[in-house]
Amino acid sequence: MRQVYETNVFGIVRVTNAFLPLLRESAAGRILMVSSMRGSLAEPGAWAGQPSMPYSSSKTALNALTAHYAHEPKVNSACPGHAATDFNAFLGTRTPEEGAVAAIRLATVGPDGPTGKSFHDGRELTR
């Protein structure tokens, strides 16, 4: 559990805090967290199958970080879905390209776009 949190929570905080001074100076600064439906406490699909407590709870914490960083340049999190990557032995039901759509959309959101939100397939997730 500590190793998962070190990567999915504490590592994200260290990298985000390191880049904040530069992002604050940028006219189009964006922070994009990569989360998961597993991080939601209320989405129907979040508890499908056999969720891993370390992974799921670390993504819940990441969604909370997204909300806490919302006062900074645009900060959002994307949930790519079950994309076929080496993380899941390429057993995902989506291609990596399909999983990347939400991240690309949020990384290029305009100045009036959302901040502090988590999205999956263009829909804001319930925390």
Side-chain angles (χ1 to χ4, degrees), residues 13-102:
V13 169
R14 281 193 298 275
V15 170
T16 300
N17 288 344
F19 279 94
L20 277 176
L22 292 172
L23 290 167
R24 289 177 183 136
E25 292 180 22
S26 171
R30 303 289 181 269
I31 298 171
L32 176 64
M33 314 280 188
V34 179
S35 190
S36 171
M37 290 281 288
R38 297 278 189 203
S40 171
L41 297 175
E43 287 291 325
W47 299 95
Q50 295 179 332
S52 157
M53 183 176 26
Y55 178 80
S56 298
S57 65
S58 74
K59 292 301 184 173
T60 302
L62 183 65
N63 291 346
L65 288 174
T66 299
H68 283 278
Y69 278 117
H71 67 282
E72 297 295 347
K74 296 289 182 210
V75 180
N76 291 294
S77 63
C79 303
H82 194 213
T85 65
D86 59 351
F87 181 71
N88 59 30
F90 299 96
L91 297 174
T93 56
R94 292 177 163 206
T95 66
E97 293 80 9
E98 290 169 326
V101 170

Side-chain angles (χ1 to χ4, degrees), residues 1-14:
M1 192 162 195
R2 287 180 195 270
Q3 183 178 7
V4 172
Y5 268 70
E6 189 60 44
T7 300
N8 289 352
V9 181
F10 305 128
I12 299 295
V13 169
R14 281 193 298 275

Side-chain angles (χ1 to χ4, degrees), residues 104-117:
I104 292 167
R105 184 180 68 78
L106 291 169
T108 58
V109 69
D112 294 333
T115 189
K117 309 290 183 183

